[in-house]
Amino acid sequence: MAFDEFLADRIRKVFQSKNTPVKEKAMFGGLCFMLKDKMCVGVVKDELMARIDPEIYEDALTQKGCREMNFNGRPMKGYVFIDESGMSDSHALTKWLQLAIDFNPKAKASKKKSAS
């Protein structure tokens, strides 16, 4: 499954402009941007996936272009998808990325798989 390379480039430019070092990782058929070894944002098909503070999750869902991230039939609180209408210009995209960057220090890292 391909992902939107143009959107990935837009995201890279915002992180670069903020001097925010991220690592890219292929994940969920798309591309994930990891900040401090924690999932921050990603590109899934042509949408932005953002990991935001669960405390602002309900409000975020009322924003233009934003919907819940739903895998396997259950919503993942704190994770949202944003379509093009919600990030049509650089200001709107930067707003979503900043929400994810702001939450990152509070986010829990996924458990590392132990080598058995």
Side-chain angles (χ1 to χ4, degrees):
M1 180 183 309
F3 62 89
D4 186 336
E5 287 283 352
F6 179 70
L7 176 54
D9 284 339
R10 290 177 63 201
I11 293 168
R12 286 181 192 107
K13 287 177 184 170
V14 172
F15 280 125
Q16 288 170 354
S17 74
K18 293 180 167 297
N19 260 348
T20 304
V22 291
K23 292 180 183 173
E24 296 181 25
K25 185 174 183 178
M27 196 178 287
F28 40 73
L31 183 66
C32 181
F33 292 84
M34 307 288 286
L35 177 58
K36 297 182 180 169
D37 294 320
K38 294 181 266 185
M39 185 184 300
C40 186
V41 299
V43 181
V44 180
K45 296 181 185 175
D46 62 349
E47 292 185 304
L48 171 69
M49 182 280 302
R51 185 179 188 189
I52 61 172
D53 192 328
E55 297 208 4
I56 64 167
Y57 175 77
E58 295 298 329
D59 182 54
L61 292 176
T62 68
Q63 304 299 311
K64 183 177 182 179
C66 183
R67 66 182 173 86
E68 68 183 13
M69 183 172 156
N70 186 322
F71 275 147
N72 300 322
R74 67 171 221 246
M76 297 180 67
K77 192 168 183 177
Y79 291 83
V80 293
F81 281 127
I82 300 94
D83 67 25
E84 179 57 34
S85 71
M87 55 175 175
S88 57
D89 60 38
S90 62
H91 176 75
L93 175 64
T94 300
K95 176 192 83 163
W96 287 109
L97 295 183
Q98 191 61 56
L99 289 174
I101 291 167
D102 291 346
F103 177 62
N104 187 265
K106 296 188 269 180
K108 292 182 180 170
S110 62
K111 295 178 182 172
K112 305 269 188 223
K113 294 180 181 176
S114 61
S116 332

